[in-house]
Every structure is written in C-alpha cells, then in structure tokens.
Amino acid sequence: MIAIGSDHAGYSLKIEILKYLDENGYKYKDLGTCDTKSVDYPDFGLAVAEAVRNGECERGIIICGTGIGISISANKVPGIRAALCTDSYMAKMSRQHNDANVLALGERVLGPGVATDIVDTWLKTEFLGGRHKNRIDKISDIERKYIK
Ligand code: RB5
C-alpha cells in the first residue's frame, strides 16, 4: 500500500500520479488534499509520514510546489527517509543507496512525464543493503541522539 498526499500546489501532479498508480495496479491511500484550495504542506507531509511510520503503508509519495517543504516536514518523523527527486537517477539511487521510504516531488519543478517516470523507477527499485545498511543505521543513530 502506498500513502500519497500533496498540498494545493501539488494537487494536479498528484492526480497524474494517481492515474499512473491505477493503470499499473498499485494500491494506494490518498491522504489529501482534495482540491487546489490553499492548505499547509506540513499537514500532508505528516499524514503520509505517519502512515509509513506506523506500518499502514510500505511507502509514501508526497508532492508540493517544489517538494522541499513537504519533504522537510516528512523527514521530521523518526524512521522516515523522504527523498526529493528531480530525475530517475536520483529516484534509483534514493532506493538503492538510501532506502528512501518516501518520495517527494515538486509540481512546479517537474512536468508530468518526468514525474511519472521518477515514480515508476522509484517503485521498481530495491535497496541494495550491504555497506549502505550501515549508513542507514547511522541515520537512525542521529534520530536517537535527539529523541528524548
Ligand atoms: C505553496 O505556495 C508552496 O510554498 C509549497 O507548495 C511548497 O513549494 C513549499 O515548499
């Protein structure tokens, strides 16, 4: 199950991504927003991050105007590794090396074709483990250092 959410500035791209998910047989949970009325991106970054964090969804996709604000927000949730990607190479590396469990996209930065290609690559690429696992563990150590 994929959790997906956007703010108003990412809403139109979210509709394109939902079309891709439907056409390719992916199950998803759309956590909003539902139109282009102005909302606050942290609310949707949090909703998707919590759905992944609590195990309800294996992965998440978040979209705002640039992808920056919503990825910063999602990355505040312990255990979330949200990767803002602007091309398929970044999407591939974010899975292979960083085990990113949330993909962030910017509607005002990407055309729908490039964005859909990023999603396709990201969903199909697996984590390589090995030396990369040690580095992911160090990210978790940073979280533990600051969680009281
Ligand atoms: C909304 O205007 C915009 O600030 C938001 O979608 C995002 O780009 C923030 O990082």
Side-chain angles (χ1 to χ4, degrees):
M1 182 72 76
I2 298 162
I4 184 163
S6 75
D7 72 354
H8 56 288
Y11 176 74
S12 302
L13 180 57
K14 185 177 72 170
I15 298 303
E16 292 294 327
I17 303 301
L18 293 183
K19 231 181 282 169
Y20 164 88
L21 295 176
D22 280 330
E23 284 167 9
N24 289 276
Y26 288 103
K27 290 203 179 346
Y28 58 82
K29 194 164 187 181
D30 184 358
L31 298 172
T33 190
C34 307
D35 52 36
T36 53
K37 192 162 108 347
S38 185
V39 289
D40 300 325
Y41 58 79
D43 298 336
F44 301 91
L46 176 64
V48 169
E50 285 186 332
V52 174
R53 160 85 190 180
N54 69 25
E56 197 183 329
C57 296
E58 293 84 51
R59 301 225 211 143
I61 299 174
I62 50 178
I63 312 162
C64 68
T66 58
I68 296 171
I70 203 161
S71 58
I72 292 172
S73 309
N75 276 318
K76 296 296 178 192
V77 175
I80 295 305
R81 293 178 300 280
L84 174 55
C85 297
T86 55
D87 60 37
S88 299
Y89 179 74
M90 292 176 79
K92 182 175 151 192
M93 288 301 120
S94 81
R95 290 290 308 132
Q96 287 191 340
H97 288 199
N98 313 116
D99 197 17
N101 49 15
V102 173
L103 170 66
L105 301 169
E107 179 183 320
R108 293 174 180 165
V109 181
L110 302 168
V114 172
T116 304
D117 199 47
I118 290 170
V119 171
D120 185 65
T121 301
W122 192 75
L123 289 174
K124 289 175 177 164
T125 308
E126 293 303 323
F127 180 46
L128 290 178
R131 69 182 189 280
H132 304 294
K133 170 76 171 70
N134 185 43
R135 294 162 184 164
I136 299 305
D137 290 344
K138 287 194 173 194
I139 295 175
S140 305
D141 289 345
I142 297 171
E143 288 176 342
R144 272 191 290 276
K145 182 174 176 185
Y146 288 98
I147 294 169
K148 297 284 172 252

